[in-house]
Each structure stands twice: as C-alpha cells, then as structure tokens.
Amino acid sequence: MRFALDGEQTAFAATLDRLLTAAGTPAVVRAWAAGEPGPGRELWGRLAGTGVFALAVPTGYGGLGPLPVEVVCACVELGRHAVPGPVAEAVAVAALLGRLGERAAAGAWLPRIADGRLVPTLAAPGGGPYALDADAADVVFAVDEDGTRLRVAAGHGAVQPSLDPARRLARPAAGGEVVARGEAVRRAAAHALDWARLAVAAQALGAGRALLDRTVAQVRRRTQFGRPVGSFQAVKHRLADVLLALEFAGPVVYDAAVALAGAAPDAGARVAVAKAQAGEAAYAAGRAALQLHGAIGYTAEFDLSLWLGKARALRSAWGGVAQCRARALELTSMR
C-alpha cells in the first residue's frame, strides 16, 4: 500500500511549518513550562486561523471534519516544532462530543473549539487520571473511570511534575456540570481515545523527526580527530537506525488515520499499533540525540531538551507502548 499526501495536504503542512518557524516556538514552550500560557494561547489562536482545531470537529458544528489524515498532517508539524498545549486533548474532545449524540452539548462547545475561542482539555479512561494543561485551558472535561459519565469539572487540582515541564498535569476537581450519562458516553469515550492516540502518535513522529534533524546537523558541525563526527561509521549506523524507525512509523500512523476515516472495524487496533510504533521511534531518536550531542544535550538551556522531554512524555501519553500493544492484540483476537 502506498501512502502519499495530496497537494492540498502537503501545502497545509508547509503553511504550518512556516507559521511555527516564524513563531519561535522554543520561547513559547519555555514560557508555557513556567506557567505563563500567554504566548502559547496567542499561538493557539494563530493555529486556529489555519483550521487546525476545526479538523476533528464535524461540519455541522462549524468544523471541517472529521478529517483524521489532516489531523495527522497538522500534529506532525506541531510535534516537529514542539508546540505546547492540550492539542491531542482538544482533538479527543471534538471526537467525543461529535460522537456523543447530545446535540445541545455539541452545539454549545464544538463551534468554539473549531475556531480556537475555547481551549479544552480532557481526562478520560485510557489516558490516566490527569488532564493536560488544565491550568491553561478554558474548560476541563472529565469522563468517569467506569466511562459512564461525562462532566465539566469544577476546576482542577495542583499541577504535578512531568517528564516534560511543558506538559502540566493536574487532576480534574470533583463535581461540576454533568454533560451526559450512560452507555453512549462509554462508546464516545472509546472513540475519543482512538483520536487522542492518533494525535499523540503524529506529534511523536514530528518530535522524532526534529530530534533526528538536529542531531544530523550537530554531527556535521562537531569534529573529532580533525573530522566531522558524522563521518564515523558507528555514528552513521546509529542515525540510520533512527531514520529507519521513523520512516517505518510514518506509514503506520497514516494507515491508522485512513482506518479511522473509513470507520474500519480494526481501526482501534491500527491506532494502538501506530501509537506504540511512533512512540518507540521518537524515543529512539531522543536517545541517539542525547548521546551524539554529548554533554550539551543534557542541559535544559539547550533547545534540544524541549524535544527530548516531549518525546519521552508522548511515549507514555494516552497509553504506553506495552498498553497499546496489549490493546491491539486484544482487539485483533476479538475479531
């Protein structure tokens, strides 16, 4: 099977790349990590202007979608530029409300998510007890652990330390407005989990590519014994392994998006496989980057640390590698 983006999708990704390059995202990430969401919220608004947050919102509610392949295109670029914020959670909220069948709830929230006026986050089964960036979001949705109740949480708890300082985790507070109850919530939450994993897989793929690009540039600059470090066979092999891992993960992520777009019966399994494979590839890119940059790679002041933290955190977000593989096996054996 051959996966190739069409001209419109390629142009969309290029537009995001130019916007994010001009935005200087490392400074935005550092401000976000310090609890200053202003620059990140401003960037969120500019991304909304390109339609990024409308891609997962159904057309009947002011969106452009649901368009999983385009969501992957966008999230790869957002990962490549280490954009902070609850991106995957916003995608998942749109999928959840769009699938729920509660017209009042969808009509109340989705148009504002699509045009960027509202930054949502979500805690739901499969993603752990924490909501990402609840302190910077406008609304915190929470699905109960048994999956039978969706509510808008009445605030959030204290921000917890994270592998990535720019991923600020907090538990949704108890109570709040109940949006929906029953089996429909469980089905919608399962659908949202697939979308969250797909978005995270795409972000991991982008982060892995950024780590590889930066490492290749570094080994071309850095010299030893009068030669660029990158000319040594061992270094070439290490980077070739990373490149292969990312190149193999890319089609798997797009395959999962195609499965979701077509509502394939095995879409959940294919998304879980994509999440595991992209997470592993990005993590391998991070390990290679850390080794080949030398001691400077460990310093928080060096921009590489922004992608290292993101790759590590995305590997476990919305289900770690073992959890996703187990889920894929479970779903496959049920068919």
Side-chain angles (χ1 to χ4, degrees):
M1 185 178 292
R2 178 172 179 268
F3 294 100
L5 300 179
D6 62 27
E8 193 171 345
Q9 292 163 338
T10 303
F12 177 53
T15 297
L16 292 177
D17 181 35
R18 286 193 296 272
L19 186 156
L20 294 169
T21 300
T25 51
V28 177
V29 177
R30 287 196 163 88
W32 192 276
E36 301 168 6
R41 291 289 301 250
E42 183 181 343
L43 181 59
W44 189 282
R46 294 173 67 187
L47 289 169
T50 69
V52 165
F53 303 109
L55 297 173
V57 175
T59 52
Y61 297 102
L64 302 170
L67 297 171
V69 175
E70 283 73 9
V71 166
V72 168
C73 288
C75 286
V76 167
E77 291 305 316
L78 269 56
R80 204 157 70 84
H81 289 273
V83 172
V87 174
E89 289 67 24
V91 166
V93 168
L96 192 158
L97 293 174
R99 177 60 64 93
L100 195 57
E102 294 279 347
R103 286 188 173 276
W109 301 105
L110 287 178
R112 289 186 287 161
I113 293 173
D115 65 17
R117 282 178 292 161
L118 189 84
V119 178
T121 189
L122 172 69
Y130 298 105
L132 178 65
D133 300 318
D135 59 327
D138 297 309
V139 57
V140 180
F141 289 95
V143 178
D144 287 356
E145 195 172 337
D146 64 0
T148 59
R149 192 177 66 152
L150 170 67
R151 60 187 171 87
V152 174
H156 59 85
V159 174
Q160 303 295 315
S162 165
L163 287 172
D164 177 1
R167 290 177 60 84
R168 300 168 61 82
L169 304 172
R171 288 180 182 270
E177 175 193 356
V178 176
V179 177
R181 300 175 185 270
E183 189 59 29
V185 174
R186 194 195 307 276
R187 289 194 297 270
H191 182 63
L193 175 60
D194 287 341
W195 278 80
R197 284 178 172 167
L198 180 69
V200 170
Q203 287 180 285
L205 190 60
R209 288 175 179 172
L211 286 163
L212 178 60
D213 290 345
R214 286 172 170 271
T215 307
V216 169
Q218 170 71 4
V219 299
R220 282 176 172 161
R221 284 193 301 266
R222 186 180 168 195
T223 60
Q224 194 168 38
F225 309 119
R227 297 167 54 191
V229 170
S231 66
F232 295 113
Q233 197 76 346
V235 173
K236 290 180 181 178
H237 285 178
R238 185 74 191 271
L239 292 175
D241 287 343
V242 172
L243 175 62
L244 283 175
L246 292 168
E247 287 295 302
F248 279 120
V252 177
V253 174
Y254 280 103
D255 171 76
V258 171
L260 265 187
D266 61 348
R270 288 155 72 176
V271 169
V273 170
K275 170 68 177 59
Q277 193 155 340
E280 283 290 73
Y283 186 67
R287 293 182 63 183
L290 197 56
Q291 181 185 25
L292 296 176
H293 273 79
I296 194 172
Y298 287 91
T299 60
E301 292 77 10
F302 194 53
D303 283 350
L304 185 76
S305 65
L306 307 180
W307 283 269
L308 288 173
K310 181 169 283 292
R312 290 177 66 194
L314 291 176
R315 185 170 178 247
S316 57
W318 291 97
V321 174
Q323 187 179 351
C324 286
R325 286 176 176 161
R327 181 59 177 161
L329 182 62
E330 177 190 357
L331 292 172
T332 303
S333 63
M334 290 168 60
R335 296 185 66 227

